[in-house]
Amino acid sequence: QVQLVESGGGLVQAGGVLRLSCAASGSISSIGAMRWYRQAPGKQRDLVAGINSGGGTSYRDSVKGRFTISRDNAKNTVYLQMNSLEPEDTAVYYCNADVSTRWGRAGTYWGQGTQVTVSS
């Protein structure tokens, strides 16, 4: 009953900027932590950034100072502002969230991903 849909990916040159969005919908009671992961071809899926329900944030070392995660609780949406993009940032980016439903069901949900490609 919960869906996460990412948007905002695309092709950008090195040094460019993208802003990803992920909107949650369905029978939602509350959302805890929200996260962004990424997965490059042939590599594992890695945590990029996370934000808890109180607004506290954490980042993968390689994106610190370049990426900013934020959330709009009224819209059930998490964002990832990506500045100074590098070719190494190329990956499919996935949204992830801890969600409690109206019926007491708690679980972690994933979006289907959005492609980010950074050219040199």
Side-chain angles (χ1 to χ4, degrees):
Q1 287 83 4
V2 177
Q3 302 83 41
L4 302 178
V5 179
E6 302 99 334
S7 62
L11 175 64
V12 65
Q13 291 185 318
V17 173
L18 286 173
R19 189 192 190 214
L20 306 184
S21 299
C22 173
S25 62
S27 300
I28 297 170
S29 177
S30 63
I31 302 178
M34 306 184 82
R35 310 168 188 89
W36 287 98
Y37 287 76
R38 68 186 183 188
Q39 187 168 24
K43 298 184 178 180
Q44 68 179 11
R45 186 173 298 185
D46 293 327
L47 177 65
V48 177
I51 183 167
N52 62 28
S53 60
T57 60
S58 62
Y59 298 91
R60 180 181 182 86
D61 285 344
S62 61
V63 308
K64 289 180 179 177
R66 300 189 297 119
F67 291 10
T68 302
I69 188 171
S70 61
R71 64 193 290 168
D72 185 336
N73 291 329
K75 297 181 178 180
N76 290 332
T77 299
V78 62
Y79 305 94
L80 187 67
Q81 178 69 43
M82 304 187 294
N83 300 328
S84 301
L85 282 162
E86 304 168 353
E88 292 75 18
D89 297 318
T90 295
V92 177
Y93 283 69
Y94 297 91
C95 178
N96 169 282
D98 299 331
V99 180
S100 295
T101 72
R102 295 169 58 191
W103 309 110
R105 175 78 173 185
T108 300
Y109 295 84
W110 291 88
Q112 292 186 317
T114 184
Q115 177 71 48
V116 171
T117 303
V118 184
S119 65
S120 60

